[in-house]
Amino acid sequence: DAGVIQSPRHEVTEMGQEVTLRCKPISGHNSLFWYRQTMMRGLELLIYFNNNVPIDDSGMPEDRFSAKMPNASFSTLKIQPSEPRDSAVYFCASSFLGLAGDEQFFGPGTRLTVL
Amino acid sequence: LAKTTQPISMDSYEGQEVNITCSHNNIATNDYITWYQQFPSQGPRFIIQGYKTKVTNEVASLFIPADRKSSTLSLPRVSLSDTAVYYCLVGEPLWAGNNRKLIWGLGTSLAVNP
């Protein structure tokens, strides 16, 4: 398996533009997580899905952020409109629920810069 | 939510054993303790997980005292490639059905020197 795949790896955009980040989880995994990492706040869980259903989105900072998982192999995180303070590395992770431990497998991340 | 406290940074030398301690005073009965490692420009990677006593794998050991209010990640004979950020997490496995979040925080930045 290729692991968790994220695209793009880098995104530079201007304030006010819409940004869409994409994630393909590991095949067979039932849970998907979106994280944001910054120097100041560390790694923060934004939202997670179980069997394509959003379970907890309390980490989503505000209404400008939205996430979807239309099927088991694809998820998007959208920011509209984007702001400079959204600049961060965004990670997607997946795990196979049901196994003791719930090890999360992370993708390489998308480095977002909003000018 | 179970909050964890770990040192911001640590320094070591190649070949030494490194112990990183994490405190989690309000750990709940069903909480597991999990450690992840993150290299620069990469996502975190699972290292080890335990509930009580001691767990050992090919990478590290995890020591958990009886009261479970702290845990210690032990890395034997570190090398330069062990330079990374190490995160201690406490929480229920998500299959337990509760929506308690895992709090990652800033982790411990370990620098291994030659």
Side-chain angles (χ1 to χ4, degrees):
Chain A
D1 200 313
V4 176
I5 299 173
Q6 291 186 247
S7 65
R9 293 294 308 277
H10 302 273
E11 176 82 25
V12 180
T13 190
E14 293 187 344
M15 184 174 62
Q17 296 298 307
E18 177 180 294
V19 174
T20 299
L21 311 181
R22 297 172 177 79
C23 175
K24 177 179 168 53
I26 293 173
S27 177
H29 281 190
N30 298 319
S31 286
L32 182 140
F33 309 81
W34 281 102
Y35 289 90
R36 177 174 66 177
Q37 186 171 40
T38 60
M39 290 290 291
M40 292 299 295
R41 300 173 66 90
L43 199 60
E44 302 172 282
L45 176 64
L46 300 177
I47 185 171
Y48 79 88
F49 295 83
N50 180 31
N51 291 325
N52 313 335
V53 176
I55 302 300
D56 183 1
D57 65 354
S58 59
M60 297 285 263
E62 48 197 276
D63 293 344
R64 297 184 298 107
F65 286 69
S66 63
K68 294 182 180 179
M69 192 165 186
N71 56 62
S73 60
F74 184 67
S75 177
T76 60
L77 177 68
K78 185 176 294 186
I79 308 173
Q80 166 63 18
S82 59
E83 297 182 2
R85 60 193 168 117
D86 301 330
S87 296
V89 179
Y90 291 81
F91 288 104
C92 174
S94 69
S95 72
F96 177 58
L97 280 184
L99 291 178
D102 278 311
E103 177 180 350
Q104 295 184 37
F105 295 82
F106 283 76
T110 295
R111 182 173 295 277
L112 173 65
T113 302
V114 183
L115 303 174
Chain B
L1 296 173
K3 186 173 183 288
T4 61
T5 302
Q6 48 183 130
I8 294 295
S9 63
M10 294 182 68
D11 280 280
S12 184
Y13 293 92
E14 284 190 290
Q16 289 190 334
E17 178 184 78
V18 171
N19 296 309
I20 306 175
T21 297
C22 177
S23 67
H24 26 80
N25 291 320
N26 59 340
I27 189 170
T29 302
N30 294 330
D31 285 345
Y32 281 72
I33 300 159
T34 310
W35 286 80
Y36 282 77
Q37 173 191 57
Q38 185 179 23
F39 296 116
S41 302
Q42 294 185 25
R45 184 181 70 166
F46 175 93
I47 301 177
I48 197 167
Q49 184 180 76
Y51 183 79
K52 62 180 179 180
T53 63
K54 176 184 174 183
V55 180
T56 297
N57 61 23
E58 65 278 5
V59 176
S61 294
L62 178 60
F63 297 92
I64 305 170
D67 66 6
R68 304 198 329 120
K69 293 184 183 299
S70 67
S71 59
T72 299
L73 174 72
S74 181
L75 305 172
R77 297 180 299 281
V78 294
S79 64
L80 295 177
S81 63
D82 292 315
T83 294
V85 178
Y86 293 83
Y87 295 93
C88 164
L89 283 79
V90 171
E92 290 181 352
L94 293 172
W95 48 257
N98 296 318
N99 293 336
R100 295 172 62 212
K101 286 192 295 186
L102 294 176
I103 299 176
W104 288 74
L106 295 175
T108 296
S109 181
L110 172 66
V112 180
N113 302 294

